[in-house]
Amino acid sequence: QVQLVESGGGLVQPGGSLRLSCAASGSIFSINAMGWYRQAPGKQRELVARITSGGATNYADSVKGRFTISRDGAKNTVYLQMNSLKPEDTAVYYCKMSLRRVERLVPYDYDYWGQGTQVTVSS
């Protein structure tokens, strides 16, 4: 019932910028947290950035100072602004949202994942 749709990936030169977005639709009572993960070929999926319902953020050391996560509560959307991109940023980026749904007056917390969007940084 809840779906996450990602967009904004593509090919960019080193030093360039991209802005990823992820919009959630469906029956949502509240959003506990939103985050971005990435997975490069042959590597484990890693946390890139996360933002809580209270607005607190955290970032992987490798992207601090270059990436910014933000959200738009009215649109149930999370963004990832990526600046000063490096070849090592190349990966599939996945959006994840921790959502609370109410079913038969009972709250349930679930994690939902987007389909992934490819980011390639190359000259």
Side-chain angles (χ1 to χ4, degrees), residues 19-45:
R19 190 192 193 207
L20 307 183
S21 65
C22 176
S25 62
S27 180
I28 301 171
F29 182 79
S30 64
I31 301 175
N32 299 321
M34 301 177 174
W36 289 95
Y37 293 73
R38 68 186 181 188
Q39 188 167 24
K43 296 184 178 181
Q44 288 187 301
R45 187 173 299 184

Side-chain angles (χ1 to χ4, degrees), residues 77-91:
T77 300
V78 62
Y79 305 93
L80 185 67
Q81 179 66 47
M82 304 185 293
N83 298 326
S84 302
L85 283 162
K86 304 175 181 179
E88 49 263 45
D89 295 318
T90 296

Side-chain angles (χ1 to χ4, degrees), residues 1 7 29 45 60 65 71 81 86 97 105 109 113-114 120:
Q1 191 171 8
S7 63
F29 182 79
R45 187 173 299 184
R71 70 189 193 281
Q81 179 66 47
K86 304 175 181 179
M97 295 191 187
L105 305 182
D109 293 336
W113 290 88
T120 302

Side-chain angles (χ1 to χ4, degrees), residues 6-12 18-21 82 93 117-120:
E6 300 180 32
S7 63
L11 174 64
V12 65
L18 285 173
R19 190 192 193 207
L20 307 183
S21 65
M82 304 185 293
Y93 284 70
T117 184
Q118 177 70 47
V119 172
T120 302

